[in-house]
Amino acid sequence: MEAQATATVKEALAALYHHPDDAIRTAADRWLQEFQHTLDAWQVADSLLHDESSNLETLIFCSQTLRSKVQRDFEELPSEAFRSLQDSLYVLLKKFNKGPQKVRTQICIAIAALAVHVPVEDWGAGGIVNWLSDEMKTHPEFIPGFLELLIVLPQETSSYKIAARPERRRQFEIDLCSSANVAIDLLTACMAIDQLKEQVLEGFSSWLRFCHGISASELASHPLVHLALSSLNSGQFLEAAVNVTSELIHATVSHGAGTMAEQVPLIQILVPHIMGLKEQLKDPSKDEEDVKAIARLYADMGESYVDLIATGSDDSIQIVNALLEVTSLLEFAISSMTFNFWHCLKRNLIRRDSDVSYGLDVTVEIEKNRRLQIFRPKFETLVSLVSFRVEYPEDYHTFSEEDRKDFRHVRYAVSDVLLDATEVLGGDSTLKLLSTKLAQAYGSCNNEQNSKWQPVEATLFCIQAIARSVSIEEREILPQIMSLLPCLPQHEQLLQTVCLTIGAFSKWIDAAPAELSILPPLVDILNKGMSTSEDTAAAASMAFKYICEDCRTKFSGSLDGLFQIYHIAISGVGGYKVSSEDSLHLVEALSVIITTLPPESASRALELICQPVINPLQEFIQQGDQVLQRVPARHLTVHIDRLSSIFSNVKQPEVVAEAVYRYWPTLKSIFDQRAWDTRTMESICRSCKFAVRTCGRFMGMTIGAMLEEIQTLYQQHKQSCFLYLSSEVIKIFGSDPSCAGYLTSLIQILFSHTVQLLRTIQDFTARPDIADDCYLLASRCIRYCPDLFIPTETFQRLVDCAMAGITIHHREACKSILSFLSDVIDLPNSSGGGQYREVINTIILQRGTTLTRIMIAALTGALPSGRLEEVSYVLLSLSRAFGEDMLNWARESINLIPPQALTDAERLRFFNIISDATSGSSLHNITDRFGEISDICRRNKTVQDLVQSALRPQDLTVTVVRQQM
């Protein structure tokens, strides 16, 4: 059997790497992946690794297979197999001592994983590190392989690929900490071998976080530290030396490192060595990767010692100057490493809890101002250093979409840095700095010999990025900038940024003195932007929205002009290049202005804004039912989405309610003829939702017809958006007694048809949108009209339906179901919910055993670990509401989990968590403790399958015991 499997593996590898047919290579890859999960993989991989005839491809595959088997499937082996596995891996480590490197690394990781799995005594006195020490002394010829294992050991403690129990992982980390001195001594002994120095440094950086017992003063004089610092000037070992130095920096500020005063001896030798690298930053002979490594070191130093730097001492200013040099480097990937430092420094300088550091309240402001004054010039320099980076390259038009995405990322990052600078300098001061650059750029732009628009655009981009930090009272710079905007060249990218700048300063424009007459020429610019290109039109539309929102009172005499712009953009004629998506900004812009009008004027204005939207829909309707049914959805939704924006943004409930009533026949025709079309129904339901939200009780004339439409169409077409719209109706009208008849019928019909659709977990998986919106609606009913919902048989059926769907993996649907269940369980203890206690207790008590078992299955693997908090809350609610009953249900379910998955001690711990939840532990505490049990039950696929096979959450059926009269 083994020989046959071995031969098949060789054939599959040969096919994978050498067969010309893609389909055969894909099939071979799939077979090999499946093979790695089999029990045979242990023996075959081990055998082929020991086989001298195995080629490199076979060795790499088998070493990876053996490594993954040790990591995740170690429990497949009988306990007595440990020793033979250890011996085999040891032989392999010696065999591949000199390579191939990839194979040796996999063997080292496998040995490290084995060490995580088994107790320290299995390696003899002192554990694996002492065992390794003895082997290195006994067999010095194998030191390279042993040294790599020493490097890998601390790295694997944080690897969750290793399917070890949490307490075993914690114990392994404790064992490594206790062996750290032995490891450091081994590394120190290997320093003398030149060809091993890089490995020694790698090992030292791996072990530093375990060296809790070595003081800063000891480290400061340690030979390994001196090796690392001296190697910073060595091109050969620079990367490894930087890694060590970074770890040393982090060690001085890590939790448990002691006071900063205790770390001073180490800091005093680290900082000068790092500062000594400054000249290398601009050395043209240095490799870019080396410069990047040095820059990373400076960034680490700055971020770690930001509290010391913020004191403003002479030494700290030298560090800041060095970080400015890093920021000034042309390569953005390098210079941007400092950006987080500037953010941290800014937070330190302006933080409100400064009195903790500075002393009494009287001295707080004085000290804070002193520090700000010291660092102002540095942040002014920072503004100059980053502002040029947003300049469009000359060859931007040749950029791929990926390159353009990278350029946008640079702009976002620079924007964040500028905002940090404004918090130190003040928005007005930063604006003044940038305005000087703008004047220089504009002067050059008008120079016939150098008419570049890019510097002007870059500076304007920076100015609009800090717009919200500039005071609306600013009167020195912004009037000049606003008067300059109409004079700038009409280049596409520049015009786009000009439009964005107008939008960004909309609040300032509103506050500007009337005599400046700023607004008309700016609106002309936006008009130009809407007719230049799609990108400029998008920016202009957005800016137009902001201008209308913030300057709405200034447009009272200009409505005709605004409606003309709106009609041209919406109609698609007249030269505007506004996309249907961006046109929504214009719809929103006019809508907010209508909100400011008196009701009579608002009603007429609303009709004007709705006409270009309603008329095309009515034209489709007038062409007959067959035409309306065949028209592409996008031809309808583009108009319906605009209607949604109008209903959402015109905040005049009575006026909007009249419009909804007036246009309801049009909407009803679309409902009736397109109910099969998900896209159109989602759009029209969204429009109705905003109408309900804006109009509230003023929609009384229309709401009955709307609810009747929803009920009828949902029975026929089962569109989830009908449930979504119903949730909004319940929220607004749920507590209105006059609507009780409508709503009772709505609830009964919608839920009774939904539970017919969702009978099994497969049904839930096939219709996650229905499940999501159904249980959002159900939770709304509990909140707003429980008296219409809780006493009904439909409510009980919906609880049963929820239990069938708990294990759906769709995130939103799952969360809605779990929220519904917790709402049900919590209702009796809520304000006004006591009257439902008997009904809910009866329902949950009849289903408690099954519900608890499903929830425990969800916790232990039936649901992704990302649902842990929601699942924990339902279990917590059950525990608090049903006490002793819940403990019995939980005990019964936990006892089903086999001992191969949970030990008796772990089973008891699981039960105790639920017991503590019953007695009042917090959700945070319970979730953390459940998380550990969850990890144990998910530690590998075999265990997870074993747990789920025992609990069988998807096979459970619920038998409802009717309450006896």
Side-chain angles (χ1 to χ4, degrees):
M1 186 68 180
E2 180 193 333
Q4 182 181 349
T6 301
T8 308
V9 167
K10 289 181 177 181
E11 290 173 11
L13 286 168
L16 175 64
Y17 287 105
H18 304 293
H19 203 283
D21 189 328
D22 286 346
I24 291 178
R25 288 202 303 273
T26 301
D29 183 47
R30 189 183 305 114
W31 186 89
L32 288 167
Q33 289 185 45
E34 292 172 358
F35 170 77
Q36 287 181 314
H37 291 279
T38 65
L39 201 58
D40 288 340
W42 285 103
Q43 191 61 47
V44 171
D46 183 72
S47 175
L48 286 172
L49 284 167
H50 287 279
D51 188 344
E52 295 296 334
S53 66
S54 294
N55 60 24
L56 180 59
E57 293 159 355
T58 302
L59 293 175
I60 291 174
F61 171 77
C62 290
S63 61
Q64 291 172 339
T65 300
L66 195 56
R67 178 262 302 160
S68 65
K69 294 297 284 183
V70 177
Q71 285 179 326
R72 87 181 164 233
D73 297 328
F74 178 68
E75 291 181 354
E76 289 180 346
L77 300 176
S79 57
E80 62 271 13
F82 160 72
R83 190 62 61 194
S84 59
L85 176 61
Q86 180 194 33
D87 292 343
S88 179
L89 288 170
Y90 177 52
V91 171
L92 291 172
L93 179 60
K94 291 192 291 186
K95 175 181 177 181
F96 298 111
N97 176 63
K98 295 183 179 180
Q101 176 67 47
K102 290 182 179 179
V103 177
R104 187 178 74 187
T105 299
Q106 298 301 309
I107 298 301
C108 288
I109 295 173
I111 296 174
L114 185 61
V116 175
H117 281 298
V118 300
V120 63
E121 53 270 15
D122 283 2
W123 292 89
I128 188 171
V129 178
N130 279 335
W131 170 84
L132 193 54
S133 175
D134 293 340
E135 294 298 324
M136 289 175 77
K137 292 171 185 174
T138 307
H139 302 286
E141 68 275 19
F142 298 120
I143 280 181
F146 292 142
L147 191 53
E148 181 163 3
L149 176 56
L150 193 63
I151 294 169
V152 164
L153 276 172
Q155 296 172 353
E156 290 304 295
T157 58
S158 57
S159 171
Y160 279 84
K161 292 180 180 179
I162 302 174
R165 286 174 159 84
E167 68 270 18
R168 177 62 210 135
R169 194 184 302 280
R170 287 192 293 268
Q171 184 58 51
F172 182 69
E173 189 163 337
I174 292 170
D175 295 340
L176 287 193
C177 286
S178 65
S179 302
N181 284 331
V182 176
I184 297 300
D185 289 344
L186 290 174
L187 292 168
T188 305
C190 292
M191 278 176 52
I193 307 172
D194 286 341
Q195 60 267 35
L196 296 181
K197 282 185 178 178
E198 187 170 9
Q199 274 187 289
V200 167
L201 291 172
E202 289 175 7
F204 190 34
S205 65
S206 292
W207 278 93
L208 268 170
R209 69 185 182 94
F210 293 95
C211 297
H212 307 311
I214 305 178
S215 67
S217 56
E218 288 179 88
L219 282 173
S221 59
H222 200 282
L224 286 174
V225 173
H226 286 281
L227 173 64
L229 296 178
S230 62
S231 297
L232 289 173
N233 293 302
S234 164
Q236 186 179 0
F237 305 138
L238 178 63
E239 184 72 28
V242 165
N243 290 338
V244 171
T245 310
S246 287
E247 288 293 339
L248 288 167
I249 290 170
H250 297 154
T252 62
V253 293
S254 65
H255 177 70
T259 65
M260 189 59 74
E262 292 172 332
Q263 303 304 316
V264 166
L266 184 53
I267 294 172
Q268 284 178 334
I269 73 158
L270 292 176
V271 173
H273 276 86
I274 298 170
M275 293 298 289
L277 301 173
K278 192 165 66 169
E279 295 303 318
Q280 297 187 42
L281 289 170
K282 295 189 176 180
D283 183 349
S285 67
K286 292 294 287 186
D287 180 82
E288 184 180 306
E289 290 302 313
D290 288 346
V291 175
K292 189 179 291 187
I294 295 170
R296 175 164 61 87
L297 196 52
Y298 273 98
D300 279 350
M301 176 176 65
E303 292 171 35
S304 298
Y305 299 147
V306 68
D307 289 340
L308 292 175
I309 292 170
T311 61
S313 67
D314 291 342
D315 289 340
S316 69
I317 295 301
Q318 293 302 312
I319 296 175
V320 172
N321 288 337
L323 283 158
L324 282 171
E325 288 200 33
V326 178
T327 307
S328 71
L329 296 174
L330 287 176
E331 180 59 49
F332 181 77
I334 297 176
S335 67
S336 60
M337 290 179 181
T338 64
F339 287 3
N340 194 52
F341 161 74
W342 298 114
H343 176 71
C344 294
L345 180 59
K346 177 267 301 186
R347 289 182 60 186
N348 191 289
L349 294 174
I350 68 170
R351 66 185 179 186
R352 294 186 177 181
D353 61 343
S354 306
D355 54 309
V356 174
S357 302
Y358 301 166
L360 300 175
D361 289 346
V362 181
T363 62
V364 168
E365 204 61 30
I366 296 173
E367 175 63 13
K368 184 175 181 179
N369 288 334
R370 181 190 74 83
R371 295 185 179 196
L372 286 171
Q373 289 307 311
I374 288 173
F375 286 102
R376 279 186 67 86
K378 306 305 174 186
F379 277 89
E380 289 173 354
T381 303
L382 177 65
V383 170
S384 297
L385 290 177
V386 300
S387 57
F388 82 92
R389 296 188 180 279
V390 299
E391 191 172 308
Y392 273 95
E394 293 281 356
D395 60 344
Y396 181 76
H397 64 282
T398 68
F399 276 22
S400 66
E401 182 53 40
E402 190 64 30
D403 290 337
R404 294 187 178 210
K405 183 179 177 182
D406 290 342
F407 181 64
R408 289 194 295 270
H409 170 73
V410 170
R411 292 193 141 204
Y412 296 145
V414 169
S415 295
D416 290 340
V417 175
L418 289 170
L419 289 172
D420 286 331
T422 62
E423 292 196 60
V424 174
L425 302 173
D428 293 5
S429 297
T430 309
L431 176 67
K432 195 166 186 177
L433 285 173
L434 292 170
S435 69
T436 303
K437 287 182 170 292
L438 180 61
Q440 294 169 352
Y442 180 63
S444 299
C445 184
N446 282 340
N447 185 339
E448 292 184 3
Q449 296 178 341
N450 182 27
S451 56
K452 290 181 64 176
W453 58 269
Q454 288 92 338
V456 176
E457 190 280 334
T459 311
L460 265 184
F461 176 85
C462 294
I463 288 172
Q464 64 91 18
I466 66 163
R468 298 308 181 196
S469 300
V470 177
S471 66
I472 60 173
E473 294 84 13
E474 205 285 328
R475 293 293 180 268
E476 179 186 356
I477 305 299
L478 281 176
Q480 299 175 37
I481 292 175
M482 293 301 162
S483 63
L484 178 65
L485 296 183
C487 307
L488 296 176
Q490 298 294 305
H491 189 279
E492 180 182 337
Q493 269 96 14
L494 177 54
L495 180 58
Q496 183 180 359
T497 301
V498 168
C499 292
L500 292 172
T501 303
I502 293 170
F505 284 100
S506 56
K507 293 185 186 301
W508 180 89
I509 293 169
D510 180 53
E515 61 268 18
L516 292 180
S517 299
I518 286 173
L519 196 52
L522 298 183
V523 173
D524 289 342
I525 293 174
L526 299 183
N527 262 320
K528 179 66 176 174
M530 281 189 260
S531 59
T532 299
S533 72
E534 286 193 6
D535 288 340
T536 59
S541 302
M542 180 69 77
F544 197 79
K545 183 188 83 164
Y546 290 142
I547 288 290
C548 288
E549 284 179 350
D550 293 324
C551 308
R552 61 185 74 179
T553 58
K554 294 184 183 296
F555 286 108
S556 56
S558 311
L559 285 178
D560 290 342
L562 293 179
F563 276 109
Q564 183 180 6
I565 293 171
Y566 169 78
H567 277 267
I568 292 173
I570 296 300
S571 65
V573 298
Y576 282 1
K577 299 182 178 180
V578 180
S579 69
S580 58
E581 183 178 342
D582 292 320
S583 71
L584 294 175
H585 298 315
L586 300 178
V587 176
E588 189 174 339
L590 270 292
S591 298
V592 297
I593 288 180
I594 292 173
T595 298
T596 67
L597 301 176
E600 316 81 52
S601 302
S603 182
R604 176 59 185 155
L606 183 59
E607 188 173 350
L608 287 174
I609 195 177
C610 287
Q611 278 178 358
V613 175
I614 289 293
N615 288 346
L617 296 175
Q618 290 177 337
E619 288 173 8
F620 285 124
I621 293 169
Q622 289 165 5
Q623 293 177 55
D625 294 348
Q626 290 186 346
V627 172
L628 184 57
Q629 289 177 4
R630 289 199 303 265
V631 66
R634 64 181 181 278
H635 292 175
L636 298 173
T637 58
V638 65
H639 303 294
I640 299 171
D641 289 345
R642 289 166 181 165
L643 202 60
S644 297
S645 184
I646 295 169
F647 291 162
S648 174
N649 291 289
V650 177
K651 303 300 184 185
Q652 296 223 26
E654 289 185 78
V655 173
V656 174
E658 290 174 5
V660 174
Y661 179 72
R662 185 164 57 248
Y663 301 131
W664 174 248
T666 301
L667 299 177
K668 185 178 187 306
S669 294
I670 297 172
F671 267 122
D672 290 340
Q673 299 302 322
R674 300 286 296 208
W676 51 269
D677 174 14
T678 299
R679 182 175 174 182
T680 301
M681 286 301 99
E682 286 178 348
S683 178
I684 200 167
C685 284
R686 185 163 52 248
S687 184
C688 291
K689 179 198 76 169
F690 285 124
V692 171
R693 185 176 294 176
T694 296
C695 302
R697 305 299 169 86
F698 292 105
M699 258 191 80
M701 293 184 291
T702 316
I703 193 66
M706 185 182 293
L707 294 183
E708 187 176 341
E709 192 76 11
I710 291 171
Q711 294 172 49
T712 302
L713 295 178
Y714 184 71
Q715 294 176 70
Q716 297 170 9
H717 299 284
K718 310 298 189 296
Q719 298 280 13
S720 66
C721 54
F722 297 140
L723 300 170
Y724 168 73
L725 174 55
S726 300
S727 290
E728 195 66 30
V729 172
I730 292 293
K731 181 179 178 181
I732 303 298
F733 296 97
S735 58
D736 187 344
S738 66
C739 296
Y742 285 120
L743 298 183
T744 300
S745 174
L746 179 75
I747 292 169
Q748 171 65 29
I749 290 173
L750 294 184
F751 286 142
S752 62
H753 279 79
T754 300
V755 296
Q756 294 300 318
L757 294 175
L758 304 176
R759 294 176 176 274
T760 66
I761 189 62
Q762 290 77 19
D763 296 334
F764 277 84
T765 302
R767 296 174 179 262
D769 49 347
I770 291 279
D772 181 21
D773 289 322
C774 168
Y775 283 99
L776 284 174
L777 174 60
S779 286
R780 284 272 172 92
C781 291
I782 291 173
R783 200 165 296 122
Y784 295 104
C785 54
D787 53 319
L788 305 181
F789 181 44
I790 303 298
T792 67
E793 185 180 348
T794 301
F795 171 68
Q796 298 185 44
R797 293 174 65 196
L798 209 59
V799 172
D800 290 338
C801 185
M803 291 169 61
I806 288 172
T807 55
I808 182 174
H809 278 221
H810 186 277
R811 184 180 66 169
E812 299 306 324
C814 180
K815 291 177 75 169
S816 295
I817 294 168
L818 293 173
S819 293
F820 165 74
L821 288 171
S822 59
D823 287 343
V824 170
I825 298 164
D826 291 343
L827 179 62
N829 295 318
S830 66
S831 175
Q835 60 182 303
Y836 308 109
R837 186 182 305 278
E838 184 177 350
V839 172
I840 289 175
N841 282 359
T842 299
I843 291 171
I844 299 300
L845 285 169
Q846 290 171 351
R847 297 158 175 79
T849 300
T850 302
L851 176 58
T852 302
R853 183 164 151 189
I854 295 171
M855 294 309 303
I856 286 177
L859 181 77
T860 55
L863 282 178
S865 55
R867 300 286 83 76
L868 180 63
E869 185 171 343
E870 290 85 358
V871 171
S872 297
Y873 186 75
V874 175
L875 287 168
L876 181 67
S877 295
L878 281 169
S879 298
R880 289 176 175 173
F882 295 97
E884 194 63 36
D885 288 315
M886 174 57 179
L887 291 179
N888 291 331
W889 301 333
R891 184 183 292 106
E892 184 178 329
S893 295
I894 292 170
N895 285 340
L896 292 173
I897 300 175
Q900 299 96 311
L902 288 181
T903 64
D904 289 343
E906 289 164 343
R907 213 187 313 274
L908 179 61
R909 195 187 317 157
F910 197 172
F911 181 77
N912 287 339
I913 298 171
I914 295 174
S915 177
D916 291 345
T918 304
S919 59
S921 287
S922 69
L923 175 62
H924 177 74
N925 177 267
I926 291 295
T927 302
D928 283 348
R929 294 168 66 192
F930 273 147
E932 187 163 300
I933 292 293
S934 179
D935 287 344
I936 293 171
C937 292
R938 301 170 192 257
R939 62 187 183 270
N940 59 39
K941 187 176 184 301
T942 302
V943 170
Q944 187 168 332
D945 289 347
L946 199 62
V947 173
Q948 296 306 306
S949 296
L951 295 173
R952 296 181 296 105
Q954 295 180 5
D955 297 337
L956 296 176
T957 57
V958 179
T959 302
V960 180
V961 181
R962 295 191 179 276
Q963 185 177 9
Q964 295 184 358
M965 300 300 294

